[in-house]
Amino acid sequence: MQCMKLFSRLNIFSKEILKPIVCGRLADVNNQIQTTNGFHSSVPCMAWEKPKGPQKWLAYNKKIYPPQAPDEERRPAFVCHMKTDIHYSPKKMWYIACLVRGLSVEEAVKQLSFVSKKGALAVKETILEAQKLAVEMHNVEFKSNLWVAESFVGKGRVIRGLRRHARARVGRVDYRHCHYFVTLEEGKPPASQKEYYAHNSPNLTQQEMLDKWLGQMRARNIPNSL
Amino acid sequence: MAVMLRNVSRLLYDSFYTISNSIFYSLYGIEPRVAVVVNGQCNNFDLNNAPSTVPEDIFKTDILWAVPKSRRTIEKRLKRKFGDPFYKPKTLQLQTNIRICDTCGHYHEDKVLCPHCYAKIKKETEDIQAAIQAELGLSPVDKSVVVLYQGDREEYPADHWKGKRIVEMKKPRPAWFSKNLLQKSVESISSSSPANSDVKPTDLG
């Protein structure tokens, strides 16, 4: 396992580091202490453990929207997917996540195949998995009719370690992990990445700015007033 | 070595004293105070009661040399993160040199042979090499070696293969491996035709 490989690199590891990794992944279903010849060979874990890692992202897939009116613009199918605890720095992964935003799925996978970075493989795998899920579970007709609507990174576990330097000096080593989140939406991708970002900061005309300001002023409310 | 260190420390001590005396007017009795970090603790102490110039003490007083002088501006921070779009962008750019291989349909970079096709050919080459090594071993190569697949031998009469060492592959010829790799495309000058004439390639498979 990934965690076990890291132990060989750590010079000092405490119980605090040991316990959550062992407990979180290897908890027995019946929560029984496994014994061999009378020795406890597994760490006793609690009956219920707080789930680790991001939980809310995949919940977006389960959300049920109300039925749409006939004249309303059709809401495109989407799938939210993620890959957690990638052994890669979130700061470095950010560049890869930014590359892929606003591209069609095919173009994204093609570009990622030629990015010489470790995180690119994880991102590519996530997108391909998401594409498969979209077709199987999220009512997407054509697997190539998808584009990357959202692509971002979150900070994962950081396992601290130590390394030695010359002259009895110690250096800290941080084994950083990250989570990668992606949303694939059905339909045509935006014309360019510039257009993709434009929806966040639209260039309003003078009249639009005025109307917006006026709306905000009128929406002010004194709470608990008559 | 010890003498040299002592002299250096005395030089430092003297230079501090002269500089601080020019800054702090001792007229008003303001004693120059210099903050020196000793093992992580910042102590204000008198230069008059300076630490001894014993070599070991020099290593104990950690004067921080490599320390930021002022806060990095947001412009500098953004430059480090994003680079400069004109000179050298740090964000990953879309690559425009990716092509599709006509043969297999996989992607590859512009000036590179399709890795998928190349891997296929490499594997076949390794099989041929293994067959040759198995057949010929370490015997000297005195005759030309011909590698034939299943069904190739029968195409020519027996005397065509005279004087050649044949290595037979135990599989049919791959569809992409043409038999006609050695045919010359230009005929040599003969008495009948004064100039070289182009030869139309045959048996391209």
Side-chain angles (χ1 to χ4, degrees):
Chain A
M1 249 185 11
Q2 212 179 35
C3 317
M4 296 306 177
K5 247 195 273 181
L6 287 167
F7 280 140
S8 60
R9 275 189 257 170
L10 287 172
N11 288 331
I12 293 169
F13 44 88
S14 65
K15 279 183 192 167
E16 279 73 51
I17 294 168
L18 190 72
K19 195 180 171 189
I21 291 166
V22 175
C23 274
R25 301 276 183 232
L26 299 177
D28 194 22
V29 173
N30 298 324
N31 192 30
Q32 285 183 356
I33 297 166
Q34 292 162 18
T35 55
T36 45
N37 297 327
F39 275 114
H40 287 194
S41 57
S42 76
V43 180
C45 302
M46 306 204 317
W48 178 86
E49 276 182 13
K50 193 174 158 185
K52 291 201 166 67
Q55 307 296 320
K56 297 182 206 165
W57 185 243
L58 298 176
Y60 285 117
N61 286 329
K62 295 177 187 163
K63 181 174 175 179
I64 295 167
Y65 291 86
Q68 288 188 291
D71 54 339
E72 208 178 318
E73 202 184 300
R74 192 182 166 149
R75 187 183 299 110
F78 69 92
V79 62
C80 295
H81 194 48
M82 69 182 187
K83 196 175 197 97
T84 53
D85 291 327
I86 306 163
H87 183 32
Y88 199 55
S89 161
K91 272 190 180 177
K92 296 178 195 170
M93 188 64 119
W94 180 83
Y95 291 98
I96 300 160
C98 281
L99 172 75
V100 153
R101 275 178 208 153
L103 302 180
S104 72
V105 155
E106 302 236 323
E107 183 68 24
V109 167
K110 177 176 121 182
Q111 289 291 330
L112 287 168
S113 306
F114 294 96
V115 170
S116 309
K117 285 186 184 284
K118 181 171 157 182
L121 186 63
V123 169
K124 185 173 150 188
E125 282 171 5
T126 317
I127 291 175
L128 288 170
E129 274 172 21
Q131 189 189 39
K132 195 168 153 214
L133 283 173
V135 172
E136 285 171 7
M137 288 154 67
H138 293 91
N139 195 29
V140 166
E141 197 178 352
F142 303 113
K143 70 174 188 178
S144 57
N145 195 27
L146 289 161
W147 64 284
V148 178
E150 284 176 303
S151 160
F152 57 93
V153 183
K155 179 182 162 185
R157 296 175 302 148
V158 181
I159 297 171
R160 319 280 178 192
L162 295 169
R163 63 152 291 189
R164 44 200 311 211
H165 283 272
R167 293 187 175 260
R169 296 228 161 87
V170 180
R172 193 175 57 182
V173 182
D174 290 332
Y175 297 102
R176 296 182 186 276
H177 296 75
C178 62
H179 310 306
Y180 175 67
F181 305 93
V182 72
T183 302
L184 299 182
E185 220 173 77
E186 197 179 17
K188 277 191 79 176
S192 64
Q193 288 197 308
K194 203 170 172 183
E195 200 192 292
Y196 171 82
Y197 289 110
H199 78 277
N200 275 340
S201 54
N203 288 329
L204 300 172
T205 59
Q206 222 175 25
Q207 186 60 40
E208 282 169 354
M209 279 199 274
L210 187 65
D211 291 339
K212 187 178 167 189
W213 176 84
L214 206 58
Q216 282 170 352
M217 289 293 121
R218 289 199 176 132
R220 288 180 299 181
N221 179 39
I222 298 164
N224 300 324
S225 66
L226 295 165
Chain B
M1 184 64 186
V3 174
M4 198 173 84
L5 280 169
R6 209 180 300 132
N7 287 338
V8 164
S9 70
R10 192 166 288 150
L11 183 69
L12 278 169
Y13 164 74
D14 286 338
S15 61
F16 275 139
Y17 195 72
T18 46
I19 288 163
S20 64
N21 270 349
S22 62
I23 295 162
F24 304 106
Y25 305 104
S26 53
L27 273 166
Y28 298 98
I30 296 165
E31 292 290 0
R33 293 206 174 275
V34 170
V36 175
V37 179
V38 178
N39 291 338
Q41 291 172 345
C42 184
N43 300 319
N44 291 329
F45 67 95
D46 248 310
L47 268 182
N48 293 322
N49 311 323
S52 64
T53 54
V54 175
E56 288 79 46
D57 289 354
I58 288 154
F59 293 112
K60 283 183 193 168
T61 56
D62 299 333
I63 301 166
L64 299 175
W65 293 116
V67 129
K69 196 69 187 170
S70 46
R71 189 189 173 175
R72 262 199 198 131
T73 56
I74 186 68
E75 291 90 1
K76 277 205 178 285
R77 279 182 268 149
L78 292 175
K79 261 268 169 77
R80 281 170 74 93
K81 191 171 186 187
F82 304 114
D84 188 282
F86 183 71
Y87 292 107
K88 189 177 180 186
K90 201 172 170 192
T91 49
L92 295 172
Q93 307 296 314
L94 291 175
Q95 281 178 295
T96 53
N97 62 342
I98 300 169
R99 311 274 177 263
I100 285 187
C101 173
D102 292 330
T103 321
C104 63
H106 285 78
Y107 292 111
H108 66 93
E109 282 172 311
D110 185 24
K111 291 162 186 172
V112 159
L113 292 174
C114 171
H116 188 253
C117 295
Y118 183 76
K120 184 175 66 173
I121 293 162
K122 186 178 172 183
K123 188 175 176 304
E124 188 63 33
T125 311
E126 280 164 2
D127 289 344
I128 290 169
Q129 284 170 346
I132 290 169
Q133 278 167 32
E135 178 83 24
L136 304 180
L138 293 168
S139 56
V141 179
D142 49 349
K143 300 175 189 170
S144 60
V145 176
V146 169
V147 176
L148 298 175
Y149 287 90
Q150 281 173 359
D152 286 351
R153 199 164 190 168
E154 289 76 39
E155 294 200 12
Y156 293 94
D159 59 338
H160 186 262
W161 306 117
K162 216 166 83 173
K164 290 175 187 164
R165 298 198 71 175
I166 291 171
V167 176
E168 293 257 33
M169 296 286 290
K170 292 179 185 65
K171 54 174 162 175
R173 181 174 278 271
W176 47 265
F177 195 174
S178 165
K179 281 176 243 173
N180 194 13
L181 292 171
L182 296 175
Q183 186 187 19
K184 290 191 181 14
S185 62
V186 176
E187 235 173 16
S188 55
I189 296 169
S190 58
S191 53
S192 56
S193 55
N196 288 346
S197 60
D198 285 338
V199 173
K200 271 213 156 74
T202 53
D203 224 1
L204 284 172

